């Protein structure tokens, strides 16, 4: 077991995420907490970007040699890294009496609030830039509208209850911010002045809310009511992100993703692979076959969605005339 750990320690790890925007190393609300988690752990890694599959639930993922930890497996990348003995910030905190309640607030109430605000509560420009700006406009716009529809379904939003659900989402976010502000106080981190995965998740949420959402955002205004949370976020942003090139911090390099997939999902990065090619699992072979026909499938999705939209009036999708006229150029 020690030999395996030593081999992994000697290998270079790569975090594959969505692209940077808004002065953040990655603007994706799922990718940024993982980036912060690795930085808080002083874990050396390279940063690579993938924009080929904007709706892939495998992103973000961490890879090194034959090791790959995907976002959609085993409760996420952080849990995989902890379970596999690679990096664990939480071993001393999970027995804390308020760990579960704080985790639930961040991963449920605040996650839902940010999802709502990105896709429904604002004009959608931020979400479009994060996920679809590298796609051609017709495909990107239709995929964006599909995701808006999907988010409304997941959050249980209908035309009849939209106002009630919005009030409930913002009310829960306000409660969560208040509780977390009290818990944080003037500490550097949420628990005992030492970082945990909850700091990474919360900090990622706060930074996306502050930097990616427009000034008119209701969620952003509720967050700005808590000065200590803003100070906490900006201080750690300076230490972990803006000082990332300092010799005292973990080193990483930004490597743009290749324009075409190479040998399956663990090789979307443009870095060369000198190791012998490993035999692919059945899941990776299946994913590669899906990737091969991605553009054709998305084109078909566009046509099907446009056909489906023909059966609805504008009220069914809850898109008003102003939203319909948005240009994401």
């Amino acid at each position: 077991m020690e030999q395996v750990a030593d081999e992994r320690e000697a290998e270079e790890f790569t975090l594959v995420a969505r692209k940077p925007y808004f002065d953040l190393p990655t603007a994706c609300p799922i990718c940024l907490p993982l980036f912060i988690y690795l930085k808080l752990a002083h874990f050396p890694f390279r940063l690579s970007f993938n924009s080929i599959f904007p709706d892939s639930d495998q992103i973000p993922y961490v890879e090194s040699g034959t090791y790959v930890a995907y976002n959609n497996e085993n409760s996420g990348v952080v849990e995989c890294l902890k379970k596999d003995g690679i990096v664990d910030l939480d071993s001393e905190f999970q027995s804390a009496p308020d760990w579960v309640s704080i985790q639930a607030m961040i991963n449920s109430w605040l996650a839902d609030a940010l999802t709502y605000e990105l896709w429904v509560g604002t004009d959608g420009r931020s979400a479009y830039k994060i996920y679809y700006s590298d796609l051609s406009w017709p495909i990107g716009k239709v995929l964006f509208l599909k995701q808006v529809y999907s988010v409304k379904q997941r959050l249980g939003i209908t035309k009849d209850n939209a106002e009630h659900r919005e009030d409930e989402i913002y009310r829960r976010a306000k409660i969560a911010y208040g509780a977390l502000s009290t818990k944080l106080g003037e500490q550097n981190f949420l628990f005992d002045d030492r970082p945990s995965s909850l700091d990474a998740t919360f900090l990622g949420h706060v930074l996306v809310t502050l930097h990616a959402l427009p000034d008119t955002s209701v969620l952003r205004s509720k967050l700005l009511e808590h000065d200590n949370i803003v100070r906490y976020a900006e201080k750690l942003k300076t230490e972990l992100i803006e000082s990332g090139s300092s010799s005292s911090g973990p080193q990483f390099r930004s490597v743009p993703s290749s324009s075409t997939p190479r040998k399956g999902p663990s090789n979307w990065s443009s870095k060369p692979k000198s190791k012998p090619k490993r035999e692919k699992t059945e899941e990776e072979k299946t994913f590669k076959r899906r990737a091969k026909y991605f553009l054709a499938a998305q084109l078909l999705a566009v046509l099907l969605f446009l056909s489906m939209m023909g059966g609805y009036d504008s009220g069914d999708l809850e898109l008003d005339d102003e939203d319909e006229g948005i240009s994401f150029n």
Side-chain angles (χ1 to χ4, degrees), residues 152 314-315 317-326:
K152 288 182 177 181
S314 59
L317 289 177
E318 298 177 49
L319 295 170
D320 58 26
D321 292 338
E322 182 180 351
D323 292 333
E324 293 282 359
I326 288 174

Side-chain angles (χ1 to χ4, degrees), residues 37 45 136 171 228 316 326 328:
Y37 180 82
F45 64 97
S136 62
R171 178 181 61 81
N228 64 327
D316 291 325
I326 288 174
F328 292 99

Side-chain angles (χ1 to χ4, degrees), residues 116 120 151-169 315-316 318:
Y116 175 83
V120 183
V151 165
K152 288 182 177 181
Q153 285 189 313
R154 183 169 71 80
L155 296 178
I157 298 172
T158 66
K159 185 167 61 176
D160 296 330
N161 73 356
E163 185 174 348
H164 170 73
R165 286 291 291 133
E166 179 181 86
D167 290 343
E168 184 179 38
I169 288 169
D316 291 325
E318 298 177 49

Side-chain angles (χ1 to χ4, degrees), residues 121-136:
T122 60
D123 62 12
R125 294 176 190 272
S126 297
Y128 187 89
K129 181 174 285 190
I130 294 168
Y131 292 95
Y132 304 119
S133 58
D134 287 323
L135 298 179
S136 62

Side-chain angles (χ1 to χ4, degrees), residues 37 78 82 88-94 99 196-198:
Y37 180 82
V78 169
K82 291 196 292 187
D88 185 357
L89 290 175
D90 300 338
S91 57
E92 299 180 15
F93 297 128
Q94 289 180 314
W99 176 273
S196 68
S197 65
L198 294 188

